[in-house]
Amino acid sequence: MTSAGDKGSGLTYASAGVRLEEKDRFTDSLVSVMKRTHGPRVIPNPGGFAGLFRLDFNERLFKRNYKDPVLVACADGVGTKVKLARQMNRFDTIGIDLVAMNVNDMIVQGAEPLFFLDYIAVPRVESAVLGDIVKGIAEGCRQAGCALLGGETAEMPDVYAPGEFDLAGFAVGVVELKRATDTERVEKGDVLIGLESSGIHSNGYSLVRKVVESAGLDLDAVYDELRPRAIATKKRAGSAASRKKAGAVGKNGTKTRAAAPAPLTLGDVLLAPTRIYVNSITKLLREYRVKKVISGMAHLTGSGMAGNLERALHKKVDAVVRLDSWQPHPVFTFLQSHGNIPDDEMRRVFNMGIGYVLVVRPTFADSVVQKLRKLGEKVHVIGEVVKGKGVVREE
Amino acid sequence: MTSAGDKGSGLTYASAGVRLEEKDRFTDSLVSVMKRTHGPRVIPNPGGFAGLFRLDFNERLFKRNYKDPVLVACADGVGTKVKLARQMNRFDTIGIDLVAMNVNDMIVQGAEPLFFLDYIAVPRVESAVLGDIVKGIAEGCRQAGCALLGGETAEMPDVYAPGEFDLAGFAVGVVELKRATDTERVEKGDVLIGLESSGIHSNGYSLVRKVVESAGLDLDAVYDELRPRAIATKKRAGSAASRKKAGAVGKNGTKTRAAAPAPLTLGDVLLAPTRIYVNSITKLLREYRVKKVISGMAHLTGSGMAGNLERALHKKVDAVVRLDSWQPHPVFTFLQSHGNIPDDEMRRVFNMGIGYVLVVRPTFADSVVQKLRKLGEKVHVIGEVVKGKGVVREE
């Protein structure tokens, strides 16, 4: 290596916009947040190059050995919901969305989520923002019963404009081979059971933000049409200013949410985190371990009911979904009317209020509905399987 | 759902800049590329919500059952090397870097890579570019002997400026618990064996690009100082124009590389894909299955030799690295002189020509060196372990 003068005159990594120390400090601060998601199957590996997760315990106490374990893996992001989080300057729930998008896909295969890893890309490490994002991810992992095993934070000032960021996540789970879902199992007569979504979840935000912009909607306002059971109230005047102030306080570490539950603003409703169905679905599957009661499942994401439920079918059956069998979440009617969005476009882009669908043997349908309600889900029987050629018919 | 006029007047997802069909078409086109990386342990799951990978085969032919399997997982990106790929309009090797960054981390733990998933974020789906990226990822998986099990392509026109993109990857492997590396195993007297890098690998590109820019270097030029064995040649005049033309032809599907091997341009050298050490390391570990010959390993990334080799040590030993025991790859001396970068900054940011280090019992050092050379690695004995307090001393 040749000598190259003193530090003052030459180029350094810092002069290129990357601050290794800041990143290291942030990484260290994550350790305790991540540890709270670690069960006994995570092997401590401080400073290690990778996360270590024991698949099985040979010790009798923890024994849940698999005869023929199949690993199940997903990769997903949260799309432009990141933009909304930035607009609202609230970063503590977007991580829940990130976990949800991955683990809800995974349980469709009958798998139990084991662990999760994240990738966070930012133009510049802002510890408070990143800390909130990771807290959300850890909360999502807690809800999904999986370990936050590792992740990567990339500081890339030349790729991401100031204020922009992106998130990607990866989940790994396991399923016993003979219990993995199989589209061939779906039969004519099977009942479609829908679980309500918490709102928009994490798809369609480019369109959502377009509606907000083109209709001049105010993220900080409370709109009557968005109240689940509408009581007439006027649009809250001046709320934009008051929320912004609250946000600024929050950034400095104080809890921002008012003591009494404030009415939800449009921003609150749009940013509501994606519901994680892991607990309900894994418990349900465990209750029917011997009998094959669940023929198939679908997590409703980017291409709506038709595009996703179709993936649970084989070529000799159709799914008939009755659109009048549930009330869409008010946010969808709100967006549709303000954006003048065609019906079929709505159904193609959004979940319309149903986030997860189970295909169930008819004799067990009532029992499945009851069990899911006890597990805290809002459940609707939304249709049935008929002879066909592998498509979803929304009627 | 309320009716909302005809498609012409209302908002659609397409009007918000997202084209679901284009994305679907691209996803379909990936199937065959991915399948080429699938061994018998990947379970076909067309249209599935997640990738399925059998950990073990109970059939005798494929039996490699683990007694106490530990899953090993990594997440990583390639940093701003993506910017360089875009500048050079060449996207078929950056995927190799992505796989390399993850699997080289994983093998440090003694693990065998099983599968890989990618996340590609773009402002707009350009099938040719994305296809090249995924081909590179598949090639990386082939080199690493792992399956490309799935991935996500996110089209986010509001987050990524035209021309920008980002990549993240995620690898899962497995190691038998008692064969996982353990920093406690490192002993005074152990020998440090370094494997040469292929160049800059995937760290420090913010600084690399800063040097190129501030020193007015030409990515399309051939610089004598970059030739491994320098034969005096003049900087190729007019090479910029000729390369650009070749690139444009390539975009339309014809092979661009000249029939006779052209001298490497600065861009070629800077974009050279990260070396994947999986084949050499897994074969080496298999040869010493019973004896514990390898005390520890390190993959040299973001914080150079000191920052990474330190992670292989416990608190009672130091690693002494002799800086004169290998010749740095010419790209490092080139960048240092053109950017006037201090020595210690160079060593903190770059791998300086050694991409991977093994810590080996002294009696086996010669044999390990021989085996690694036979496996195609360029190998240097670069130092040894002494009593200390867990730090790396570069002398």
Side-chain angles (χ1 to χ4, degrees), chain A residues 1-7 9-16 18 20-21 43 45 47-58 67-80 82-83 105-106 108-109 114-115 117-119 121 149-152 155-161 164-168 170-172 175 177 180 203-207 209-211 214 297-303 308-309 311-312 323 328 333 336-337 339-349 352, chain B residues 1-7 9-16 18 20-21 43 45-58 67-80 82-83 105-106 108-109 114-115 117-119 121 149-152 155-161 164-170 172 175 177 180 203-207 209-211 214 297-300 302-303 308-309 311-312 323 328 333 336-337 339-349 352:
Chain A
M1 203 180 324
T2 61
S3 184
D6 67 61
K7 260 190 177 173
S9 61
L11 287 179
T12 63
Y13 215 29
S15 73
V18 177
L20 288 174
E21 290 86 0
I43 300 179
N45 188 25
F49 285 78
L52 301 179
F53 189 95
R54 272 180 100 160
L55 185 60
D56 267 333
F57 270 103
N58 287 320
K67 237 184 114 185
D68 213 345
V70 175
L71 298 177
V72 182
C74 304
D76 213 345
V78 295
T80 54
V82 292
K83 299 276 291 186
D105 265 1
M106 164 177 300
V108 167
Q109 308 296 147
L114 297 176
F115 60 79
L117 293 99
D118 63 84
Y119 172 80
L149 198 57
E152 167 70 9
E155 189 175 33
M156 296 164 75
D158 301 335
V159 175
Y160 296 89
E164 299 295 350
F165 69 109
D166 198 12
L167 294 180
F170 306 98
V172 170
V175 61
L177 179 60
N203 290 99
Y205 279 85
S206 290
L207 183 52
R209 291 179 308 109
K210 187 94 182 173
V211 173
S214 69
M297 294 182 279
H299 174 216
L300 267 51
T301 57
S303 47
N308 288 290
L309 184 52
R311 299 159 74 184
L323 294 174
T333 35
Q336 177 164 29
S337 64
N340 191 26
I341 305 167
D343 276 0
D344 55 351
E345 187 72 4
M346 287 296 297
R347 289 199 298 270
R348 205 172 69 108
V349 175
M352 302 308 296
Chain B
M1 202 181 321
T2 60
S3 184
D6 66 61
K7 261 189 172 169
S9 61
L11 288 178
T12 63
Y13 213 31
S15 72
V18 178
L20 288 175
E21 289 85 1
I43 300 179
N45 188 27
F49 285 78
L52 302 178
F53 189 95
R54 275 180 96 159
L55 184 60
D56 267 334
F57 271 101
N58 286 319
K67 238 183 113 182
D68 214 345
V70 174
L71 297 177
V72 182
C74 306
D76 212 345
V78 295
T80 55
V82 291
K83 299 278 290 186
D105 265 1
M106 164 176 301
V108 167
Q109 307 299 146
L114 297 176
F115 60 81
L117 293 98
D118 63 84
Y119 172 80
L149 198 57
E152 167 71 6
E155 191 176 33
M156 298 165 74
D158 301 334
V159 174
Y160 296 90
E164 300 293 351
F165 69 108
D166 198 12
L167 294 181
F170 163 72
V172 171
V175 61
L177 179 60
N203 289 98
Y205 279 84
S206 291
L207 183 52
R209 292 179 308 108
K210 188 94 181 171
V211 172
S214 69
M297 293 182 279
H299 174 214
L300 269 51
S303 47
N308 288 290
L309 184 53
R311 299 158 75 184
L323 294 175
T333 34
Q336 177 164 28
S337 64
N340 192 24
I341 305 167
D343 276 0
D344 56 352
E345 187 71 4
M346 286 297 295
R347 287 200 299 269
R348 205 173 69 109
V349 175
M352 301 309 295

Side-chain angles (χ1 to χ4, degrees), chain A residues 284-291 293-294 364 367-368 371:
Chain A
L284 186 77
L285 293 179
R286 244 175 258 150
E287 296 213 27
Y288 294 117
R289 191 156 271 210
V290 185
K291 291 167 274 189
V293 166
I294 318 294
F364 290 93
S367 138
V368 167
K371 281 182 206 294

Side-chain angles (χ1 to χ4, degrees), chain B residues 186-192 295 317-318 359-365 383-387:
Chain B
V186 176
E187 281 174 14
K188 176 191 155 199
D190 281 353
V191 174
L192 305 176
S295 313
V317 290
D318 285 354
V359 188
V360 173
R361 290 283 180 263
T363 45
F364 290 92
E384 61 278 312
V385 173
V386 298
K387 273 175 75 172

Side-chain angles (χ1 to χ4, degrees), chain B residues 296-329:
Chain B
M297 293 182 279
H299 174 214
L300 269 51
T301 57
S303 47
M305 177 72 77
N308 288 290
L309 184 53
E310 195 183 291
R311 299 158 75 184
L313 306 176
H314 57 80
K315 292 290 167 206
K316 291 184 173 170
V317 290
D318 285 354
V320 179
V321 176
R322 289 187 307 271
L323 294 175
D324 61 357
S325 55
W326 77 96
Q327 236 353 56
H329 189 291

Side-chain angles (χ1 to χ4, degrees), chain A residues 30 100 153-154 169 207 240 242 282 291 300 319 345-346 363 367 370 380:
Chain A
L30 295 186
T153 309
L207 183 52
S242 62
T282 51
K291 291 167 274 189
L300 267 51
E345 187 72 4
M346 287 296 297
T363 46
S367 138
Q370 294 316 315
H380 304 275

